[in-house]
Amino acid sequence: MIKAHKATNQEQFLLRRKLTIQGLGETQWHDFIDELNHHPCVDSAERKPNGDLWVTYDGTHWSIDQLLEMIDSLGGRLKDGWWIRRKLGWYRFTDDNVRANAKHEPFCCSKIPPMKK
């Protein structure tokens, strides 16, 4: 089944993130998922077994760091380890890349490239 995206999000800039969160109770999880699903930049958020969070958001307006701030404000934390640090580095890189691609103005290959300002 194909899920319809929110009208405010551009499908080509949606990023899916999978994180393991520790330190949240059941009510905190419920409130957190509800808050994420009502956020204008988040397309979808769901909780998976073992404390996994799957979030899809618009990378042009939101980033992994803002998501981590939201988790910290609730008293949660990410599972610690080498793989998580590496994954966060990759997530930050792709967030920056998506924002740069969204601002890029394409030009025709038979014309002179635009001059940098």
Side-chain angles (χ1 to χ4, degrees):
M1 183 171 139
I2 297 175
K3 180 187 174 296
H5 298 292
K6 288 183 180 177
T8 57
N9 295 329
Q10 299 176 12
E11 188 173 353
Q12 67 270 25
F13 299 123
L14 290 178
L15 300 171
R16 173 166 244 184
R17 304 297 186 221
K18 299 173 185 177
L19 300 169
T20 302
I21 300 175
Q22 300 172 334
L24 295 180
E26 285 297 318
T27 57
Q28 287 174 315
W29 265 109
H30 180 71
D31 294 341
F32 181 51
I33 296 296
D34 190 49
E35 183 178 350
L36 283 175
N37 281 322
H38 286 89
H39 193 282
C41 296
V42 176
D43 191 55
S44 67
E46 58 183 307
R47 179 184 181 191
K48 296 291 184 177
N50 301 326
D52 289 345
L53 172 69
W54 289 15
V55 179
T56 305
Y57 60 84
D58 186 353
T60 59
H61 296 99
W62 220 48
S63 69
I64 190 71
D65 292 322
Q66 291 169 313
L67 177 61
L68 293 176
E69 287 174 13
M70 192 178 270
I71 293 168
D72 287 340
S73 69
L74 291 172
R77 64 188 182 286
L78 290 181
K79 182 179 176 182
D80 194 27
W82 175 85
W83 181 246
I84 296 297
R85 289 190 302 271
R86 185 158 177 96
K87 193 174 1 176
L88 283 177
W90 177 253
Y91 286 168
R92 287 183 177 110
F93 173 76
T94 54
D95 283 354
D96 292 340
N97 196 19
V98 164
R99 274 192 294 282
N101 286 337
K103 293 177 185 174
H104 177 70
E105 295 179 20
F107 58 92
C108 180
C109 60
S110 63
K111 295 181 183 177
I112 297 175
M115 303 302 266
K116 292 185 178 181
K117 296 179 183 177

